[in-house]
Amino acid sequence: MSTATDSQRPKIVLDCDPGLDDALAILTAAHFGELIGITTVNGNVGIEHTTHNALITAQIAGLSAEVHRGAALPLIAPTMDAARVHGATGLGDVKLPELRRSLASDDAVTYLCDIARSVDDLNLVAVGPLTNVALALRRDPDLHNHLASLTIMGGAAHGGNVTPVAEFNIWADPEAAAIVFREAAPLTMVGLDVTHKVLLGGNEASQMRSAGTPVADFAADLLDYAYARCREYGLEAAPMHDATAVIAVTHPDLFHSSSHPVTVEIHGEHTRGMTVTDTRPLSNFVPGCGVPMHQVVWDADADAVIDLTVQACTAS
Ligand code: BDR
Ligand code: CA
């Protein structure tokens, strides 16, 4: 479906915590974008695992993108992982080859600060907890002004997945998310409002497997594991949250969004990690509101996004 030439492909740095859907996001970013670098963060599993998983994904797909290890801990919050979804080491039970690739550095924050200023038209896509991005903003408060866009997978205007109102990436480091939402406006929030509409399952895994390449087999194995976990939780298919966020950057015309004040709740006993989204008409004119406006993604052409995800995983 994509006909983008190299010069049209958006330049992307992907900040991630692989993670099943993060691994598919790496493949998607490399196929539809120009994936310049990958930074890793503690999240779905610990930093040693997320970094290993980013490297092994890049290796399997033959990517040249540099991999930089990032934050091992949230800013303040205790570490909470999502191993019950992604498996103890983050890539389910997928059989992996021996790792041959190595890190470009163990300082993702310095890399993010440098790359934002040295590469024009760079899109930063953050699909894990926002620890690295917050630390980079603390070091360079003007960082976001050197980016073409900052897109996150995280949050939701309505609902959550870890608590009734908090999504995992925000909940895992709410203080970092609060810094990013306060200081890097406008960002694009690809949250559960849209990612829960882009569901993949056995059909897509079969399509991937029939491609018969090592990358497609790897992607199918990841999807099969995610799909099996989702069925255990009573869901009929698996959201590929992070790949959806990447496609929101590479194919923005497939998505519907609008601008709203969004702030991250860090204190609430029952609401910590909530992305409080003001959808009142004219909310930006409420005197003294003072909450930065962000682009909230609500909906997508789900079939097209699913097709593109499969396409990214089955390209040779
Ligand atoms: C997000 O949480 C993680 O488990 C996924 O990788 C995704 O980034 C969805 O809430
Ligand atoms: Ca993730």
Side-chain angles (χ1 to χ4, degrees):
M1 184 178 292
S2 171
T3 55
T5 64
D6 272 3
S7 63
Q8 292 170 325
R9 295 193 309 157
K11 296 175 200 160
I12 293 175
V13 167
L14 187 68
D15 186 68
C16 58
D17 60 334
L20 303 162
D21 58 330
D22 302 75
L24 291 196
I26 292 172
L27 301 179
T28 306
H31 184 64
F32 293 118
E34 183 187 341
L35 181 59
I36 291 175
I38 300 169
T39 51
T40 62
V41 67
N42 168 73
N44 285 322
V45 286
I47 190 68
E48 293 306 327
H49 288 311
T50 61
T51 304
H52 171 274
N53 295 343
L55 285 166
I56 205 80
T57 302
Q59 176 181 311
I60 291 169
L63 308 182
S64 58
E66 297 179 354
V67 179
H68 298 261
R69 180 170 53 215
L73 294 171
L75 295 187
I76 294 172
T79 298
M80 309 278 197
D81 68 31
R84 74 194 165 85
V85 176
H86 297 266
T89 58
L91 295 184
D93 57 3
V94 177
K95 196 165 170 354
L96 301 170
E98 189 185 331
L99 182 62
R100 293 187 307 278
R101 276 208 49 168
S102 49
L103 279 175
S105 88
D106 60 2
D107 190 352
V109 173
T110 296
Y111 173 73
L112 288 173
C113 291
D114 290 348
I115 200 85
R117 284 180 180 264
S118 59
V119 172
D120 289 338
D121 301 321
L122 183 67
N123 300 276
L124 176 55
V125 186
V127 297
L130 290 166
T131 320
N132 289 337
V133 183
L135 289 169
L137 277 167
R138 278 286 139 103
R139 192 176 302 172
D140 180 358
D142 205 30
L143 176 105
H144 55 295
N145 293 321
H146 295 273
L147 298 170
S149 69
L150 170 58
T151 297
I152 69 147
M153 190 285 128
H158 303 299
N161 56 4
V162 181
T163 79
V165 295
E167 180 279 332
F168 177 80
N169 289 337
I170 307 298
W171 174 85
D173 194 345
E175 281 75 18
I179 290 170
V180 174
F181 275 77
R182 192 171 57 238
E183 297 176 14
L187 57 77
T188 298
M189 181 171 89
V190 182
L192 302 177
D193 309 289
V194 61
T195 65
H196 276 171
K197 296 174 180 168
V198 182
L199 303 172
L200 282 74
N203 192 23
E204 287 73 28
S206 304
Q207 287 178 45
M208 291 175 185
R209 218 171 281 291
S210 66
T213 67
V215 177
D217 281 346
F218 171 61
D221 290 345
L222 295 168
L223 178 53
D224 273 341
Y225 188 91
Y227 181 41
R229 291 287 79 68
C230 286
R231 275 177 299 168
E232 280 172 16
Y233 294 118
L235 305 172
E236 283 178 15
M240 289 294 110
H241 307 276
D242 296 347
T244 300
V246 168
I247 294 172
V249 173
T250 60
H251 296 74
D253 293 351
L254 297 176
F255 293 80
H256 303 290
S257 63
S258 51
S259 185
H260 301 272
V262 184
T263 191
V264 177
E265 173 60 60
I266 56 173
H267 299 298
E269 184 183 355
H270 302 290
T271 53
R272 183 167 155 81
M274 179 179 184
T275 40
V276 180
T277 305
D278 194 343
T279 56
R280 292 174 295 172
L282 304 180
S283 56
N284 45 328
F285 298 116
V286 175
C289 164
V291 174
M293 306 285 285
H294 297 287
Q295 204 64 23
V296 177
V297 181
W298 298 101
D299 206 355
D301 180 340
D303 289 343
V305 176
I306 291 165
D307 283 351
L308 289 170
T309 307
V310 173
Q311 199 178 309
C313 297
T314 52
S316 55

